[in-house]
Amino acid sequence: SQQGEEDPQALSIQEGENATMNCSYKTSINNLQWYRQNSGRGLVHLILIRSNEREKHSGRLRVTLDTSKKSSSLLITASRAADTASYFCATDASHSGAGSYQLTFGKGTKLSVIP
Amino acid sequence: DVKVTQSSRYLVKRTGEKVFLECVQDMDHENMFWYRQDPGLGLRLIYFSYDVKMKEKGDIPEGYSVSREKKERFSLILESASTNQTSMYLCASSHRTGNYNEQFFGPGTRLTVL
């Protein structure tokens, strides 16, 4: 079942600009994660934000989480051509005590950064 | 450096063949997952395993089976490959932790069934 849905589906920006991607989900979550996928490769974990956190930073990445709106955003500042990739949000909706095994991934945002 | 490896990057098989996709992780992770990724559909979970010899169906298990005889190895089996199983297959693993279930992915196997 699809939990996270990213918006927009595709985004094209100039190098140096900021890129913002959004993710909406439907049920309560333990945490939300963002992953990156270069073309034809596996996914790489970028950042995790827990349900009791509102904002988190990692280098040029900034993630926000609004549990009341069931939404998250990923901001990449000062984008580079090397940031060109697909970005996925993934939600962990498992209940406490049941173990955190599964993530549910959205369909992704394809980001193109033009040099 | 943590690593998840998959047996093949590209694979071409014929309809009706039995296909084995192998995944190995060196991080002593309890959980392992198989996804397929198709354009416009994102990642869909086929099967996962949270321990040796344990398996759970994901969202799209039909036409697939899995095997986990050792902790580090998780195999996906297509009993009789069909053209609609042409896809990118991704394996992942994670620790069984309370709230930090980051998944580590292999490079993927692009399977074409003719």
Side-chain angles (χ1 to χ4, degrees), chain A residues 50-62:
Chain A
R50 290 184 288 176
S51 59
N52 61 354
E53 297 176 314
R54 292 296 166 259
E55 190 170 311
K56 206 159 181 183
H57 296 255
S58 177
R60 292 185 296 114
L61 304 180
R62 174 178 168 251

Side-chain angles (χ1 to χ4, degrees), chain B residues 58-74:
Chain B
D59 297 321
I60 51 163
E62 296 78 19
Y64 303 94
S65 62
V66 290
S67 172
R68 187 137 181 233
E69 296 296 318
K70 293 185 177 181
K71 190 176 185 180
E72 68 271 17
R73 189 179 296 268
F74 192 35

Side-chain angles (χ1 to χ4, degrees), chain A residues 34-38 41-46 60 76 81-88:
Chain A
W34 285 90
Y35 288 78
R36 166 196 168 122
Q37 184 182 34
N38 286 356
R41 308 294 298 185
L43 279 71
V44 175
H45 181 263
L46 293 176
R60 292 185 296 114
I76 304 174
D83 294 328
T84 294
S86 291
Y87 292 83
F88 295 85

